[in-house]
């Protein structure tokens, strides 16, 4: 089976945002990149054999999935080799390191993941992965988190976006996008940001969905609200990175272990939730530092 290549992927770069602890060559190099002027790099196509492949849900109609790929923000050896996880199958021939992430790939919808972990010729790295073990799209509400499957223990290196004892917290790499460093004017008391397949039915308020891949437009919309009401995982995550209180109606277990949690409630309680949602001033800096530190460890693994 042939990989679906994205021949030019732009690494969006980042702004200087934190003092990093310097422990290794790659941490020193990353620190220099953070403090310098190099805020954008273009990843070029390499026709050589792939020893590293990046695997994510390459869905350009879902903005959160589309911008969760770490290779958009960091450079790697053979870093152009990118494949949609739905293109990976039993006939896919690959031996090397597979960097999987981000997105809610830990769940029954992506059985491909477990099959990759079963192959000894593949070194699997999970980056910003989240559990999506249980959802209820019919009612639009799930009341709690779910247990992780046993196969997650077979990653060589794993950073998950959920806060769970015994696992390293590494949130979605989309926090590295420079749009979160800008100033965004508040224009509305409340905005509604919906999952494209699960409309919330809240009328009379500015509304947008996660349809498409224009992250700049979506982030500007989310930031335009003093408070955000959403049932999108990345809608909640991005609202928190922007310093906005967020009320979330969870249709999946994936919402329940965020390090900086929104206020979670059933649909009919969202108005009361507006007064209970909080702001996390350090969320952006903490999320970026966790990704930069994880990048250093991934590079040590690839080049060590």
């Amino acid at each position: 089976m042939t990989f679906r290549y994205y021949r030019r992927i732009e690494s969006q770069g980042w702004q200087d945002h934190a003092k990093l602890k310097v422990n290794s060559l790659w941490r020193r190099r990353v620190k220099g990149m953070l403090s310098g002027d190099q805020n954008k790099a273009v990843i070029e196509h390499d026709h050589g054999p792939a020893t590293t492949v990046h695997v994510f849900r390459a869905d350009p109609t879902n903005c959160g999935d589309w911008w969760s790929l770490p290779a958009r923000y960091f450079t790697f050896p053979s870093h152009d080799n990118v494949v949609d996880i739905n293109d990976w199958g039993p006939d896919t021939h690959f031996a090397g390191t597979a960097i999987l992430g981000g997105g809610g790939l830990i769940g029954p919808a992506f059985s491909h993941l477990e099959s990759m972990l079963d192959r000894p010729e593949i070194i699997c790295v999970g980056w910003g992965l989240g559990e999506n073990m249980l959802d209820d799209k019919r009612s639009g509400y799930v009341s709690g988190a779910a247990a992780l499957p046993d196969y997650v223990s077979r990653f060589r290196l794993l950073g998950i976006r959920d806060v769970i004892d015994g696992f390293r917290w590494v949130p979605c790499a989309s926090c590295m996008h420079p749009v979160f460093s800008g100033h965004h004017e508040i224009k509305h008391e409340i905005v509604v940001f919906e999952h494209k397949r699960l409309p919330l039915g809240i009328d009379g308020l500015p509304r947008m969905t996660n349809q498409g891949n224009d992250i700049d437009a979506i982030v500007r919309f989310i930031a335009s609200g003093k408070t955000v009401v959403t049932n999108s995982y990345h809608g909640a995550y991005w609202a928190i990175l922007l310093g906005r209180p967020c009320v979330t109606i969870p249709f999946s277990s994936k919402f329940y272990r965020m390090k900086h949690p929104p206020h979670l409630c059933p649909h009919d309680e969202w108005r009361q939730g507006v007064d209970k949602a909080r702001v996390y001033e350090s969320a952006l800096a903490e999320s970026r530092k966790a990704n930069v530190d994880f990048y250093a460890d991934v590079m040590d693994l690839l080049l060590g």
Side-chain angles (χ1 to χ4, degrees), residues 17 26 91 94 118 160 188 196 199 204 234 238 266 292:
H17 59 81
W26 280 100
D91 297 329
F94 175 75
D118 286 337
I160 61 173
H188 312 285
K196 62 181 182 178
H234 281 88
W238 293 344
V292 167

Side-chain angles (χ1 to χ4, degrees), residues 205-250:
L205 294 172
R207 183 169 57 184
M208 190 176 191
T209 78
N210 66 344
Q211 174 77 33
N213 56 42
D214 188 343
I215 189 172
D216 294 276
I218 283 177
V219 168
R220 286 196 301 271
F221 173 80
I222 292 172
S224 73
K226 183 177 179 181
T227 300
V228 179
V229 178
T230 188
N231 60 349
S232 156
Y233 180 90
H234 281 88
Y237 177 55
W238 293 344
I240 289 163
L241 295 181
L242 290 162
R244 303 296 190 260
C246 182
V247 178
T248 298
I249 296 92

